[in-house]
Amino acid sequence: VLSISARHQNISHRKALQATLRQANSLHFTSAIEYQQAQGVLPTPITSYIVPLAVEWTDFLQLPAQRIARMHLNVPNDELVLLFMGRLEERKAVDVLLKAIFHFRTHNSRFHLFIAGPDGGMRATLESLTAQLGLRKWVTFAGSVDNEMRANLLAAADIALLVSRAGENFGHSGAEAMAAGLPVLVSNHT
């Protein structure tokens, strides 16, 4: 899988990428945004297909009961459970989410935010920000999660949050949350 993005602005990277792409018979993009972002890099002509990523919705039919999932996560049943799932990297804007949660806390202190996903270089910074904002009591960094933990998080949650600084090609975690029956709050860059 080739990722064509702003990180290929370096001329030597761009030339190497273009040489590789000239040998391709066709390219697969997961969204029109991803296809548009690649236009400055793609050699012409090249056959391209836009086929969105899929979520196997049947994976989400057998989630545990919410009260059982909350018991596993040690969260009271009367708290609002918020969930962010995604790689902890700059473009995901988890820092913006944490600042919004700081303000939300002034209106409702009966909530818990779970942040689940692999570290993309931002976890330490985000944990530090959580401490600076006085949110440690309300925020749990779950790290990378296996299928069982993902099922518990989705079952326990009341709402999924999907934020981003830049255009995402596809919010896979948002689609998973919807398949689990959760409402999803997205930023205008997702």
Side-chain angles (χ1 to χ4, degrees), residues 48-126:
S48 299
Y49 300 94
I50 299 172
V51 181
L53 295 173
V55 171
E56 183 56 57
W57 62 272
T58 56
D59 290 350
F60 304 95
L61 292 177
Q62 298 294 321
L63 294 177
Q66 187 178 61
R67 65 178 180 72
I68 301 292
R70 288 179 178 214
M71 185 178 67
H72 285 293
L73 298 171
N74 199 28
V75 176
N77 285 324
D78 62 343
E79 284 191 1
L80 177 68
V81 176
L82 310 169
L83 175 61
F84 171 86
M85 291 193 310
R87 183 175 301 280
L88 303 184
E89 58 190 10
E90 178 72 24
R91 71 185 178 111
K92 296 292 187 174
V94 179
D95 59 324
V96 175
L97 174 60
L98 288 169
K99 291 171 187 172
I101 292 299
F102 172 77
H103 293 291
F104 175 74
R105 187 188 66 181
T106 64
H107 302 288
N108 181 356
S109 63
R110 300 287 303 157
F111 74 91
H112 198 86
L113 169 63
F114 285 91
I115 299 174
D119 185 5
M122 291 291 296
R123 182 168 175 159
T125 300
L126 295 170

Side-chain angles (χ1 to χ4, degrees), residues 153-170:
L153 288 168
L154 288 167
D158 293 299
I159 187 166
L161 308 168
L162 190 59
V163 294
S164 178
R165 279 195 166 75
E168 294 277 339
N169 63 348
F170 181 74

Side-chain angles (χ1 to χ4, degrees), residues 1-22:
V1 174
L2 293 173
S3 176
I4 302 170
S5 67
R7 63 179 179 256
H8 292 104
Q9 295 302 314
N10 178 303
I11 294 294
S12 63
H13 287 135
R14 183 180 291 247
K15 287 182 179 183
L17 180 59
Q18 286 176 334
T20 301
L21 291 174
R22 277 193 288 278

Side-chain angles (χ1 to χ4, degrees), residues 102 105 128-139:
F102 172 77
R105 187 188 66 181
S128 176
L129 178 60
T130 299
Q132 289 171 14
L133 295 172
L135 293 174
R136 282 189 179 155
K137 175 182 173 184
W138 293 275
V139 178

